[in-house]
Amino acid sequence: MTKSKAIMIGAGLANLAGAVYLIQEGHWRGDQITFYSIDDHGSNDGSPVSDAAGEYWNENHPLNKTQGFVARGGRMLNYRTYVDLMDLLSRIPSATESGMTAAEDTHDFDAKHPTFDKARLLQGGKGIIDGGKLGLDNKDRMLLSKLVLMPDSKEESLDNISIADYFKSSPHFFQSHFWYMWETTFAFRTQSSVQELRRYMHQMIYEFTQIEHLVGVNRTRYNQYESIMLPLINYLKKQGVKIVLNRRVTDWEFKNTPMQDEITVTGLKMTNTETNEEETINVDDQTAVFFTNGSITDSSTLGDLNTPATENPDYGVAASLWKKATEHFYNLGNPDKFFNDRSASEWVSFTLTTKNHILLNEIARITTQVPGNALNSFLSTSPITPLGQEDINMSIVVHHQPHFTEQKANESVIWGYFLYPRRTGEFVNKQYIKMTGKEMVQELIGQLSKVDPGPVNIKEKEAEIMDSVINNIPVYMPYASALFNNRAKTDRPEVIPAHSTNLAFTGEFVEQPYQMVFTEQSAVRSGEIAAFHFAGVPMDKLVKNPRFDKDPKVLARATKKMFS
């Protein structure tokens, strides 16, 4: 059913993409599109600390909110699979590079700074681990091959089966170098959905052959906000799109019909987060509603150098609204599968800013590589899992500098994360979730000291490094891996649910054939599908997605790699 106006609930990447396609493919005017959102970045944030959104701060402490930079997460791109994202970025100007599209900007930067990680895995007493030796045994290979070769039509047989359940007959799999690298490259956990692992293995099968160096990873020139989100925002504002911020949509009004199966939104209730005033927006027959029904950064909180991030018990802004929709209709999924078990989804990340390059130079010396696009994961030397197995303690990403346009020439920014925040540090006797920013730096230096080849150990420079720290912002994200949570296919709504006349679901918590979540690709694709549907654009004009899992040469290389 075609429409002539759109309301966007949430101003994340999926809905921004939908607006661009409505304008360029549907030939809509910008003033026909209105956004209502708390912020203008969704999960693709990045800013000076002073600009970080106020609702994320723990107001019970006198935090340093003026110095350094913060990004709750980071994005790795892949040109060969993120085809919808690159199509989107090719349609808009770069926000930082004159005369280039956002896609040309990224291609230009990436060509000059290609990824080649020489220290993907680091282990105390051993230094750099040869990740090219995947460490799989025959049982691991058999189970992994069975997963990769499973046809799409059989995928539902993996409903509600976790990765741990699938590999329960071969626990050795979780001690392989392959698992350590896959786990920390994509943020899977043992309790994550094996359906999602299958989709990643299908769409990223060629990356399987080079995961130890991440040579298939592409990066933007600056952080995800300035290189991806800001170009979109600038373009849409220039087109006359209305972006109304500080609005939390809290409830729906639906059309009453005799069968109670027609899904037609007639109104939205929202709160102005600055004034606490309640508002109601009418939705007429000519208006489509694009709703991003979940966010991996909802309910996140920030700390600082001397204060840990506290826990926010909120179920999540987007997920709460999604749950209210499921109370009216039976075919809109099950948000509890993703937002009701924080133990399966929580992370702690940190953004470290220093006033010089002492730490950066030490990392370069230890890892034998120049800063820029490396992902280094520190493998524990002591049993820390319930099974007494080794696992990853922490991971860091050392970006090409500067990572922010406002960053000074002498400043360095490093991002890192703890995939299991309830574990206890090896050098700071606290759970990661309870550490201050300063303690996280101390833990990082300790981890680096374990793998430092010398002759002068980084520990001897600890005081100098600590003196260089401007700020380190811990971020607690209770739902960072929620999109991987164990679930069935029907637990996510389709982009256009059956019987919907004007409501589309967008983002990472929708069901799309073949797409893998936790990627800009799937987010953009959902907004594109919704835009085409309501603008009356034929679906055969959607960007064509490659199927590397159908390429015999790629499969042959992957098979050979499996035996390394």
Side-chain angles (χ1 to χ4, degrees):
M1 183 178 295
T2 59
K3 302 294 181 182
S4 60
K5 294 180 291 184
I7 288 176
M8 307 290 190
I9 305 175
L13 179 60
N15 280 353
L16 293 177
V20 172
Y21 285 110
L22 286 173
I23 292 168
Q24 295 195 5
E25 296 295 327
H27 306 294
W28 286 23
R29 300 188 316 274
D31 62 9
Q32 295 170 276
I33 304 167
T34 303
F35 284 80
Y36 294 102
S37 182
I38 289 177
D39 57 50
D40 63 356
H41 50 68
S43 298
N44 286 279
D45 62 346
S47 69
V49 169
S50 57
D51 293 337
E55 71 270 14
Y56 303 128
W57 290 105
N58 173 5
E59 297 296 344
N60 296 322
H61 296 277
L63 301 176
N64 178 352
K65 303 178 184 178
T66 60
Q67 300 183 66
F69 298 88
V70 60
R72 289 175 293 176
R75 293 293 180 268
M76 297 185 294
L77 310 183
N78 191 291
Y79 296 149
R80 288 193 282 186
T81 53
Y82 291 20
V83 290
D84 294 80
L85 172 69
M86 299 315 296
D87 175 78
L88 175 68
L89 296 182
S90 72
R91 295 168 177 263
I92 57 173
S94 165
T96 61
E97 308 306 304
S98 178
M100 290 186 180
T101 66
E104 289 169 340
D105 174 9
T106 296
H107 279 289
D108 176 71
F109 172 80
D110 193 71
K112 294 172 181 174
H113 306 90
T115 299
F116 188 84
D117 194 343
K118 295 196 292 182
R120 180 65 186 82
L121 289 177
L122 298 161
Q123 185 170 21
K126 296 182 181 180
I128 299 172
I129 301 296
D130 182 3
K133 297 178 180 178
L134 299 185
L136 299 168
D137 65 17
N138 285 336
K139 188 67 175 291
D140 301 333
R141 296 182 187 110
M142 184 272 291
L143 290 169
L144 202 56
S145 297
K146 181 181 176 183
L147 193 66
V148 173
L149 295 174
M150 178 181 289
D152 294 346
S153 60
K154 301 292 185 181
E155 188 182 53
E156 289 187 29
S157 67
L158 301 175
D159 277 1
N160 296 311
I161 297 176
S162 69
I163 298 173
D165 291 336
Y166 183 82
F167 287 98
K168 64 183 178 183
S169 64
S170 187
H172 171 269
F173 175 78
F174 299 109
Q175 291 287 278
S176 66
H177 292 162
F178 165 74
W179 172 250
Y180 295 139
M181 291 185 290
W182 203 266
E183 171 188 37
T184 52
T185 299
F186 302 115
F188 279 97
R189 295 178 177 218
T190 57
Q191 65 265 53
S192 298
S193 166
V194 77
Q195 277 189 359
E196 297 297 347
L197 177 60
R198 175 190 173 275
R199 290 193 181 192
Y200 264 73
M201 289 301 299
H202 271 239
Q203 244 187 312
M204 301 295 287
I205 188 65
Y206 65 85
E207 191 63 31
F208 178 83
T209 66
Q210 55 196 23
I211 191 171
E212 72 271 24
H213 297 309
L214 298 177
V215 294
V217 168
N218 309 110
R219 296 278 189 178
T220 54
R221 189 179 303 272
Y222 296 109
N223 60 84
Q224 56 205 4
Y225 179 75
E226 293 185 278
S227 289
I228 296 177
M229 302 301 284
L230 190 56
L232 288 165
I233 294 165
N234 289 347
Y235 170 81
L236 292 174
K237 286 183 175 179
K238 189 174 181 179
Q239 295 296 315
V241 172
K242 297 182 286 293
I243 302 178
V244 183
L245 301 181
N246 302 306
R247 298 297 188 276
R248 175 174 180 166
V249 181
T250 57
D251 210 345
W252 308 89
E253 292 179 354
F254 290 107
K255 179 181 178 181
N256 288 319
T257 59
M259 296 297 293
Q260 290 298 309
D261 58 359
E262 177 188 316
I263 303 173
T264 300
V265 181
T266 60
L268 299 170
K269 297 180 181 180
M270 64 185 71
T271 302
N272 184 322
T273 59
E274 290 186 316
T275 66
N276 288 323
E277 294 178 353
E278 302 296 322
E279 304 174 31
T280 299
I281 304 297
N282 292 323
V283 178
D284 62 31
D285 291 341
Q286 293 304 309
T287 300
V289 178
F290 290 52
F291 169 44
T292 300
N293 59 304
S295 171
I296 60 175
T297 50
D298 267 358
S299 305
S300 59
T301 51
L302 309 185
D304 78 345
L305 190 63
N306 300 305
T307 314
T310 57
E311 294 186 52
N312 178 357
D314 193 334
Y315 187 78
V317 174
S320 295
L321 187 60
W322 176 16
K323 193 165 186 174
K324 287 189 175 182
T326 64
E327 294 169 0
H328 292 267
F329 305 101
Y330 62 86
N331 63 333
L332 301 185
N334 182 5
D336 280 351
K337 280 289 190 74
F338 307 96
F339 293 92
N340 210 33
D341 183 7
R342 292 185 171 196
S343 67
S345 61
E346 62 184 0
W347 292 10
V348 169
S349 73
F350 61 86
T351 311
L352 169 61
T353 309
T354 63
K355 64 185 178 184
N356 57 41
H357 301 314
I358 292 174
L359 177 58
L360 204 65
N361 289 336
E362 285 296 291
I363 293 173
R365 176 181 63 81
I366 293 167
T367 62
T368 70
Q369 57 192 6
V370 297
N373 307 338
L375 172 59
N376 309 122
S377 297
F378 297 90
L379 184 59
S380 172
T381 54
S382 58
I384 58 174
T385 70
L387 298 177
Q389 298 173 318
E390 294 175 347
D391 205 349
I392 299 298
N393 271 350
M394 66 186 301
S395 300
I396 59 171
V397 176
V398 185
H399 297 286
H400 182 272
Q401 307 293 314
H403 192 50
F404 294 84
T405 56
E406 295 185 36
Q407 193 175 328
K408 297 175 183 176
N410 59 309
E411 291 177 341
S412 297
V413 174
I414 297 170
W415 184 84
Y417 76 101
F418 303 95
L419 189 57
Y420 295 93
R422 304 287 170 174
R423 292 177 180 170
T424 300
E426 290 190 73
F427 296 88
V428 177
N429 189 28
K430 286 184 178 180
Q431 290 180 316
Y432 300 127
I433 192 174
K434 296 180 180 178
M435 289 185 188
T436 66
K438 180 179 180 180
E439 290 167 337
M440 289 180 178
V441 181
Q442 293 169 333
E443 179 71 19
L444 171 60
I445 294 171
Q447 294 289 338
L448 288 166
S449 72
K450 289 173 23 179
V451 298
D452 191 346
V456 178
N457 192 278
I458 189 175
K459 266 286 189 180
E460 297 178 39
K461 296 187 178 183
E462 183 168 6
E464 190 177 5
I465 292 170
M466 295 306 298
D467 183 62
S468 76
V469 175
I470 294 173
N471 212 342
N472 189 33
I473 307 298
V475 181
Y476 173 61
M477 295 179 285
Y479 306 121
S481 289
L483 30 63
F484 286 150
N485 280 15
N486 197 15
R487 48 84 190 164
K489 261 189 170 182
T490 55
D491 289 327
R492 297 190 299 216
E494 295 182 357
V495 177
I496 309 295
H499 312 300
S500 174
T501 67
N502 70 343
L503 177 61
F505 288 78
T506 64
E508 302 283 35
F509 292 89
V510 299
E511 182 59 37
Q512 301 182 76
Y514 186 60
Q515 296 297 320
M516 55 183 188
V517 293
F518 213 173
T519 65
E520 272 74 0
Q521 165 64 19
S522 62
V524 170
R525 184 77 170 185
S526 66
E528 183 185 358
I529 290 171
F532 280 33
H533 177 81
F534 287 121
V537 180
M539 290 295 169
D540 60 10
K541 291 190 175 182
L542 289 169
V543 176
K544 299 297 184 289
N545 283 198
R547 289 295 302 254
F548 298 106
D549 57 332
K550 306 295 184 183
D551 186 330
K553 292 182 179 179
V554 172
L555 291 173
R557 288 196 296 269
T559 302
K560 181 179 179 181
K561 183 69 173 182
M562 200 178 293
F563 284 87
S564 63

